[in-house]
Amino acid sequence: MAGGPERDAVSGRHTTGHEWDGITELNTPLPKWWVYVFFACVAWALGYVILFPSVPMPGKAASGVLGYSSRAALAENLAAAEARMGEQLAGLRQLSLEEIAADPELATFARQGGEVMFKENCVPCHQSGGAGAYGYPTLADDEWIWGGSMEAIATTIRHGVRHDEDPESRFNIMPSFGADELLSEADIDQVADYVLALSKGEASQEGPGREIFETQCAVCHSSNGEGADGAGYRDFGGPALNNRIWLYGGEKEDIVAQINQPRHGVMPAWGERLGETTIKQLTLYVHGLGGGE
Amino acid sequence: MSQLSASAPAPQPASDPGGPKKTVSLYADHQKVQPRRISGTFRRLKTRLDWLFLGLYFIGPWIPWPRSGSAPDQAFLLDIADRKGYILGLEIWPQEVYYLTGVLVLGAIGLFFVTALFGRVWCGFACIQTVWTDWFVAVERLIEGDRPARIRLDAAPLGVKKLARKSLKITLWGLIALLTGATFILYFNPAVETALAMLSGQASWGIYGFALLFAGTTFLLAGFAREQVCIYMCPWPRFQSAMFDEHSLIITYEAWRGEPRGGARKGQDFTGRGDCVDCGLCVQVCPTGIDIRDGNQLACIGCGLCIDACNQIMERFGRPPNLIAYDSTANQAARAVGQTRRPRLWRPRTLAYTVLLALVAGVMTFGLTTRSDLEVNLLHERSPLFVRLSDGAIRNGYTLKVLNMAETPRTYALSLDGIPEARLTVVGFADAPTRSVDLPVKADSVGTFRVYVTVPEDALTEARMDLAFVLDNTASQQRTEHDTLFATPLR
């Protein structure tokens, strides 16, 4: 631009020297503060690239001068948390469930941790607070299919129910009495009536329903497989039928459907996934939901 | 640069009928206020109050107050970490934060009351902004001299002398600010330990950070922002017009005898002219740099230094004092027509404030004297809302928190009121269903209990049944009842 920057006659401001059809462009530079902030950002970025891992290399990013890595930072945080709770965590690792439960402070620590793990892992099926849902047992009531002692609860969590990949998983199968034609429709109707009466505590000691129950159902659904009391047989995971708690509904049609072709819930084995300490915490939490034995 | 405020005068085309336009900026440059030193009644009062308030502030955290147990022996301590407040004989728990509300309400009404009676005495004498600014100005005056010397120094080019004075002033201000910030921290942390830790470099970053934060704000607000805090930042001056009425005592200028103003020589005859000699001293001494002769205004903090200034001048010229006076506008209007009136203190407004003050203070006193050292929080479990047990009975879960604010361990008997068939169990304390159970709570702590209430199926009557938890402390004769509900599957 020979002769220095031109000035616009009307506004008195410099022009860029660009002109189209007699229209000139005013020179409107960026505000100074903006330019300085921009330069500061550039300087910051340069420093960041040198100090932190930013340059992509084959395999992984080049580590920065500071040697920072988010994985290492996480490990550090975890180690710090572990150190902070070291005493309690060591207690959880070394002591038995009963010993933990006997120590109020340690038990509270375990239950609080268990609550977090319960929310993360168990709530989708068992609902918040162990409220349960159709097909998913309530953990806050006083009926336990596989036992409600701390040891039994821990075993169920560790190995799951009907979890194929764990040989120690809780396992049973109720025959499909209707679908496999083990019982006639009339028999099923009679035994369903008997079971309904059982749950109300009004079952008669005589009658065809009781006879069928005695021969077909009592082996799993009565205590020690004897009699027709329907008190449940936990060794086999046979749920108690002489109470008001139902997993798949307590109307007669629900009972008939279950005898016809039973549904079998599955619970994954959590032992390998969560580790023994977490299982202890979960056990204490579940045991404390109101139904622990 | 935007087109609107283009400072370069734009040559207008001759055909433009509007002619050259002048741009008026809405932005006013800050004029530095350099208050001149003055002596007199109000200055003396202000200085004494400065000493009193600064003394209270700096001594406050160090006042001991023996307490039993593990409670700290500090008269004023708001322990944020342990969430307890200690004020002399009072120990406030977070659940009792409504006392703070009461204190704030009292403070607000008290401020309104005093303002309606005596104008902005808070602003002029008691506000921390005023007190600390006064202190900072005093330091500035000590090092840089009084107003004329300071103005000269500011205008002088930067030299060794100016640099030395300015840096000495900044250093002293910084020290005062640090002392202020550090002292503030001591109201929230054990004073002796924290002070030693801060001095020996052992304190946490949190402590240092907050101390520096408060030091920084003190330094900026008292050293540099000064009157701008009152004029631009503080909301209180903004609604002064609603606080005053014509009987409020404020700083007034007797325009009826001051005007027409004009320069005067000593011993001159004042007939046919006003008493104001237009010396400008009232403006020079003003900490907010205003001219009170323009009338009462937002920026007047009511400190009365202009009264001191004017009285000196009036005395020198042999004129009656109090041309600028601490008076009400009603009185001034009466004086202007030759009457005298006494200030009217009791007016509907001040009476209303008095009644309100007495009411709130009464409620607070009642609350504090009958303050219970037991507080109960009862939480009904929402998930699951209720659980059906194998015999058909319905069970609800509750979390009961008992705050024992006494310095001795206590045992409370928990029982149920309502639903005669209901029985309760408490995890770890009552495994068998019962109607009442003893719950121990340690001294000065919170006992948390998990309570289950069971009601047999045939006793269920509606979806939500009323139930109350009753806590009895036989030792202290305390009995509290807490209403809750019992949820059932009925619809």
Side-chain angles (χ1 to χ4, degrees):
Chain A
M1 263 188 272
E6 290 172 38
R7 270 183 192 277
D8 173 48
V10 179
S11 67
R13 292 171 55 181
H14 291 301
T15 69
T16 56
H18 303 158
E19 186 179 332
W20 296 271
D21 299 338
I23 299 171
T24 53
E25 184 189 6
L26 291 185
N27 184 17
T28 311
L30 289 163
K32 284 265 169 41
W33 67 264
W34 192 95
V35 175
Y36 292 140
V37 170
F38 176 70
F39 287 144
C41 290
V42 171
W44 175 274
L46 284 177
Y48 190 94
V49 166
I50 295 165
L51 294 176
F52 289 91
S54 345
V55 184
M57 302 292 250
K60 59 178 282 208
S63 58
V65 172
L66 291 183
Y68 173 85
S69 114
S70 49
R71 270 169 200 274
L74 173 68
E76 217 170 273
N77 285 349
L78 287 179
E82 179 109 11
R84 203 167 55 243
M85 303 184 289
E87 198 181 320
Q88 288 97 326
L89 288 175
L92 290 187
R93 261 183 229 115
Q94 289 154 13
L95 301 178
S96 72
L97 286 165
E98 280 71 23
E99 285 167 328
I100 297 169
D103 178 345
E105 272 174 38
L106 193 56
T108 305
F109 175 80
R111 285 198 192 100
Q112 283 171 347
E115 185 178 358
V116 174
M117 295 312 281
F118 189 86
K119 281 178 180 159
E120 252 172 48
N121 297 291
C122 316
V123 159
C125 293
H126 289 291
Q127 304 297 309
S128 165
Y134 181 83
Y136 301 107
T138 301
L139 302 178
D141 63 19
D142 59 348
E143 172 170 3
W144 296 90
I145 301 173
W146 297 96
S149 69
M150 282 195 284
E151 205 46 60
I153 293 171
T155 305
T156 306
I157 300 172
R158 203 177 290 130
H159 300 295
V161 178
R162 300 187 192 93
H163 182 72
D164 290 340
E165 287 154 38
D166 190 330
E168 290 179 65
S169 187
R170 308 277 201 191
F171 189 84
N172 65 12
I173 289 285
M174 173 168 165
S176 300
F177 288 97
D180 292 348
E181 295 178 1
L182 300 174
L183 286 175
S184 71
E185 226 173 276
D187 289 345
I188 290 176
D189 190 65
Q190 282 172 333
V191 82
D193 278 335
Y194 179 75
V195 168
L196 205 53
L198 256 185
S199 81
K200 292 174 181 161
E202 300 160 356
S204 67
Q205 296 302 309
E206 303 295 326
R210 179 183 158 84
E211 271 168 41
I212 299 166
F213 189 88
E214 186 81 48
T215 52
Q216 303 288 343
C217 316
V219 65
C220 291
H221 285 293
S222 289
S223 43
N224 303 321
E226 290 163 9
D229 61 356
Y233 196 10
R234 286 177 177 175
D235 291 354
F236 295 158
L241 300 176
N242 64 346
N243 66 28
R244 302 291 310 280
I245 297 170
W246 299 96
L247 189 53
Y248 293 106
E251 301 298 321
K252 189 175 171 194
E253 55 191 292
D254 299 324
I255 299 169
V256 169
Q258 190 66 7
I259 300 172
N260 248 325
Q261 192 162 20
R263 275 150 293 192
H264 293 105
V266 173
M267 168 170 158
W270 294 94
E272 284 186 24
R273 204 160 141 183
L274 298 180
E276 203 46 36
T277 313
T278 305
I279 288 189
K280 281 183 185 170
Q281 289 177 296
L282 275 173
T283 302
L284 270 133
Y285 174 70
V286 171
H287 190 264
L289 282 176
E293 293 171 352
Chain B
M1 195 180 284
S2 84
Q3 299 279 5
L4 277 174
S5 61
S7 54
Q12 297 290 329
S15 58
D16 186 348
K21 286 174 190 154
K22 202 180 166 207
T23 313
V24 179
S25 174
L26 292 174
Y27 175 78
D29 273 332
H30 173 233
Q31 305 286 328
K32 190 171 178 187
V33 177
Q34 299 277 24
R36 182 193 276 271
R37 195 185 133 70
I38 195 72
S39 57
T41 320
F42 286 96
R43 180 63 260 182
R44 257 197 314 281
L45 179 65
K46 206 165 149 66
T47 308
R48 282 179 194 166
L49 287 173
D50 283 350
W51 281 110
L52 174 69
F53 293 133
L54 288 174
L56 283 177
Y57 176 77
F58 284 102
I59 293 168
W62 304 101
I63 302 173
W65 190 275
R67 290 190 186 89
S68 62
S70 60
D73 297 337
Q74 193 173 326
F76 303 98
L77 177 63
L78 295 173
D79 195 337
I80 305 274
D82 280 342
R83 282 169 286 178
K84 300 241 180 86
Y86 302 93
I87 299 151
L88 301 177
L90 202 63
E91 184 183 326
I92 301 288
W93 286 43
Q95 288 81 357
E96 301 176 299
V97 82
Y98 48 79
Y99 286 129
L100 180 67
T101 315
V103 169
L104 291 179
V105 170
L106 267 187
I109 302 175
L111 191 58
F112 296 168
F113 178 62
V114 170
T115 305
L117 284 179
F118 307 118
R120 288 170 65 179
V121 284
W122 166 263
C123 298
F125 299 94
C127 175
I128 49 169
Q129 176 64 24
T130 288
V131 172
W132 260 261
T133 301
D134 227 26
W135 194 7
F136 273 53
V137 171
V139 169
E140 188 174 61
R141 188 175 286 140
L142 189 72
I143 293 162
E144 295 181 2
D146 204 6
R147 177 183 153 94
R150 293 209 299 276
I151 292 175
R152 271 199 308 279
L153 187 70
D154 278 359
L158 191 62
V160 178
K161 186 183 150 200
K162 182 171 176 177
L163 197 68
R165 295 213 168 165
K166 290 275 175 193
S167 41
L168 179 60
K169 176 184 81 174
I170 296 283
T171 312
L172 282 178
W173 278 2
L175 285 176
I176 295 174
L178 280 175
L179 200 60
T180 306
T183 303
F184 193 73
I185 297 298
L186 301 185
Y187 281 95
F188 299 90
N189 294 278
V192 181
E193 290 93 315
T194 312
L196 287 176
M198 279 199 277
L199 287 174
S200 61
Q202 304 285 311
S204 70
W205 284 112
I207 299 271
Y208 284 126
F210 274 107
L212 281 176
L213 177 72
F214 294 119
T217 49
T218 307
F219 185 74
L220 280 179
L221 296 184
F224 298 94
R226 291 188 184 173
E227 83 287 350
Q228 298 176 79
V229 173
C230 312
I231 300 174
Y232 300 111
M233 288 166 66
C234 182
W236 176 233
R238 301 268 149 191
F239 54 94
Q240 285 308 310
S241 52
M243 293 289 106
F244 297 152
D245 54 26
E246 70 273 25
H247 298 290
S248 302
L249 290 171
I250 55 174
I251 314 292
T252 53
Y253 167 63
E254 298 187 333
W256 54 272
R257 83 170 161 107
E259 303 296 328
R261 66 183 82 155
R265 274 171 291 103
K266 203 161 179 188
Q268 98 165 57
D269 181 20
F270 273 83
T271 45
R273 58 155 291 168
D275 280 352
C276 176
V277 297
D278 207 8
C279 60
L281 193 62
C282 55
V283 180
Q284 292 180 19
V285 299
C286 180
T288 63
I290 57 162
D291 188 344
I292 194 63
R293 293 171 299 176
D294 295 341
N296 187 34
Q297 48 202 287
L298 181 152
C300 175
I301 59 170
C303 64
L305 293 185
C306 49
I307 302 178
D308 286 347
C310 195
N311 281 349
Q312 280 187 10
I313 300 298
M314 288 299 107
E315 196 187 341
R316 194 179 304 164
F317 282 95
R319 303 301 304 165
N322 292 331
L323 179 61
I324 299 173
Y326 189 52
D327 208 347
S328 71
T329 44
N331 276 4
Q332 285 293 1
R335 261 189 247 276
V337 293
Q339 303 168 339
T340 48
R341 266 213 251 171
R342 291 181 54 77
R344 240 182 93 202
L345 294 183
W346 295 110
R347 321 188 287 274
R349 174 193 289 257
T350 52
L351 276 173
Y353 286 144
T354 314
V355 171
L356 269 177
L357 264 181
L359 212 66
V360 178
V363 170
M364 284 277 287
T365 316
F366 179 76
L368 282 174
T369 46
T370 58
R371 174 176 175 270
S372 165
D373 49 13
L374 166 69
E375 168 128 3
V376 177
N377 290 327
L378 183 60
L379 210 68
H380 182 258
E381 179 128 340
R382 277 169 292 178
S383 177
L385 203 53
F386 56 81
V387 170
R388 183 179 286 281
L389 300 181
S390 52
D391 60 357
I394 295 300
R395 188 176 66 193
N396 280 205
Y398 302 84
T399 302
L400 176 71
K401 289 193 179 194
V402 182
L403 283 68
N404 178 16
M405 294 183 262
E407 282 161 1
T408 49
R410 279 180 176 166
T411 300
Y412 300 92
L414 170 68
S415 55
L416 296 175
D417 190 11
I419 319 182
E421 299 84 356
R423 294 288 177 274
L424 60 84
T425 57
V426 182
V427 176
F429 294 91
D431 293 332
T434 170
R435 200 59 191 170
S436 147
V437 59
D438 282 349
L439 303 175
V441 184
K442 285 184 212 155
D444 233 353
S445 59
V446 184
T448 304
F449 304 96
R450 186 110 182 90
V451 182
Y452 291 111
V453 174
T454 309
V455 175
E457 193 173 22
D458 47 17
L460 303 176
T461 53
E462 52 190 330
R464 288 194 175 354
M465 299 168 74
D466 291 328
L467 185 68
F469 280 43
V470 180
L471 269 183
D472 275 304
N473 179 9
T474 41
S476 66
Q477 302 288 322
Q478 288 168 303
R479 179 189 169 89
T480 53
E481 193 162 328
H482 293 268
D483 290 332
T484 181
L485 60 87
F486 186 87
T488 77
L490 300 180
R491 282 170 197 281

